[in-house]
Amino acid sequence: MLQNKVGNEQWEWEITARTHYWGIVFKELWHYRHLSYSLIRKDFLLNYQQTVLGPFWLLFQPLLTLATYLLVFNKLIGVSTGQLPPVLFYMSGIVLWNFFNDTFLSTSFIFKENAQLFSKVYFPRLIIPFSQMGTQILRFGIQFCMLLAMTGFYVFYKGYSFPTTYLIFTLPFTILLVGLTGLALGIAFSVITAKYRDIINLVSFGVRLLMFLTPVLYPVNFVPSNIRWIVQFNPLTSYFELFRLSLLGEGVVSGPHLAYSIGVTLVLLGLSVVVFNKQGDKLIDVV
């Protein structure tokens, strides 16, 4: 899409058959922002209309998961959560993991789920993954409010005190980085799953395995030092530890590991968007 002008007539966008690796037009994305808002609203309402609990499913699911983790990992296995109450430790991991997991999975199959839409009308293809991330941010916000309510209960009624530092200001950036990591992986896999359908079967399985390499169920210092590098190789590890440290006051984060995680996220995002730009229009014919 390019700006163009012929004689006295001028149009804002020109649709061509050429694709570019660096074909991102931010002005065009901004021009279609209302479409993105509509897609976010549509996805949210579609999931919870004509359901018994409606949006309360967003609270019910993590609560059930929390009860399972408390029974299995805290009571039966005896995983230590340090000075943090197990309820807050597990709930913080569940809420943040749900955000990453849902962002990744919802963008991994966008060509398969939106093939008819892509083939009938033009709009910037990146609108769909960005809209999916917007929907997941909305879902995360609801679950995060429940986490804050639980934290307030422990502070005011249980007498727990959490050290508050300047790191609280890093909380929005940490959440954004987790979302961008899920978005980057989802965009990359959306191209792969459009070309090779059997990969679809591996995506859900792979993300479950990734959860066990992420400190959702255990703190990093619970992992034996000789194999801790495996967990720290996962860029999500620093984000989860920083999330707990900034919100609850306990977590293990180092500058080099955090810089590594941010670098991996930015590289993944750049590469995935570049490949998506180049391959997006071509994949419509093979989906």
Side-chain angles (χ1 to χ4, degrees):
M1 301 287 283
L2 302 170
Q3 288 188 339
N4 211 330
K5 181 177 182 179
V6 176
N8 295 324
E9 296 184 3
Q10 182 176 3
W11 59 87
E12 290 186 354
W13 315 111
E14 177 187 5
I15 303 176
T16 69
R18 293 178 299 171
T19 58
H20 303 277
Y21 284 107
W22 303 102
I24 308 174
V25 181
F26 292 104
K27 182 180 179 182
E28 185 184 7
L29 291 175
W30 176 253
H31 182 76
Y32 282 88
R33 67 190 183 278
H34 299 295
L35 173 61
S36 181
Y37 300 152
S38 298
L39 290 172
I40 292 172
R41 181 176 182 273
K42 184 264 294 182
D43 288 339
F44 188 82
L45 293 178
L46 190 63
N47 286 328
Y48 302 108
Q49 280 185 336
Q50 295 182 328
T51 59
V52 175
L53 296 179
F56 286 102
W57 280 113
L58 289 173
L59 307 180
F60 191 60
Q61 181 267 338
L63 287 174
L64 284 179
T65 306
L66 173 64
T68 303
Y69 289 175
L70 287 173
L71 176 62
V72 176
F73 294 98
N74 185 248
K75 300 298 183 182
L76 297 181
I77 301 179
V79 175
S80 173
T81 59
Q83 299 300 316
L84 290 178
V87 169
L88 295 182
F89 179 89
Y90 289 121
M91 181 54 73
S92 61
I94 290 168
V95 167
L96 196 59
W97 176 258
N98 283 347
F99 179 42
F100 166 80
N101 178 74
D102 294 345
T103 301
F104 171 58
L105 292 180
S106 64
T107 53
S108 294
F109 311 115
I110 57 174
F111 286 103
K112 177 177 175 290
E113 300 291 339
N114 299 277
Q116 292 184 342
L117 183 61
F118 283 162
S119 60
K120 290 182 179 179
V121 63
Y122 175 80
F123 57 90
R125 304 307 184 208
L126 281 172
I127 286 290
I128 295 293
F130 286 153
S131 299
Q132 290 293 336
M133 183 178 175
T135 301
Q136 303 312 324
I137 289 175
L138 183 59
R139 291 163 57 94
F140 170 81
I142 295 174
Q143 294 183 354
F144 184 68
C145 288
M146 180 174 64
L147 174 60
L148 291 179
M150 288 182 172
T151 305
F153 174 80
Y154 271 85
V155 170
F156 294 108
Y157 295 99
K158 295 289 187 177
Y160 280 93
S161 60
F162 304 103
T164 56
T165 66
Y166 67 93
L167 288 175
I168 191 68
F169 296 107
T170 67
L171 196 60
F173 300 102
T174 306
I175 296 168
L176 178 62
L177 287 168
V178 171
L180 290 178
T181 305
L183 179 67
L185 290 173
I187 291 175
F189 273 93
S190 69
V191 176
I192 298 173
T193 56
K195 284 189 173 184
Y196 310 104
R197 299 203 174 198
D198 55 339
I199 300 298
I200 294 175
N201 301 320
L202 298 177
V203 172
S204 298
F205 178 70
V207 78
R208 291 192 190 100
L209 291 181
L210 181 61
M211 188 184 73
F212 292 101
L213 293 177
T214 306
V216 178
L217 309 173
Y218 54 84
V220 168
N221 54 15
F222 182 80
V223 181
S225 57
N226 60 327
I227 60 172
R228 191 174 299 173
W229 66 270
I230 300 176
V231 176
Q232 292 176 331
F233 183 73
N234 177 6
L236 290 173
T237 295
S238 294
Y239 299 151
F240 275 72
E241 289 294 299
L242 181 59
F243 180 78
R244 289 193 178 105
L245 181 62
S246 57
L247 180 65
L248 303 175
E250 186 168 326
V252 179
V253 183
S254 68
H257 287 139
L258 183 59
Y260 160 76
S261 296
I262 295 174
V264 170
T265 296
L266 295 180
V267 170
L268 280 176
L269 183 62
L271 290 176
S272 62
V273 170
V274 163
V275 173
F276 185 91
N277 259 355
K278 183 63 178 176
Q279 299 295 327
D281 293 328
K282 297 179 180 179
L283 291 174
I284 302 302
D285 297 327
V286 300
V287 176

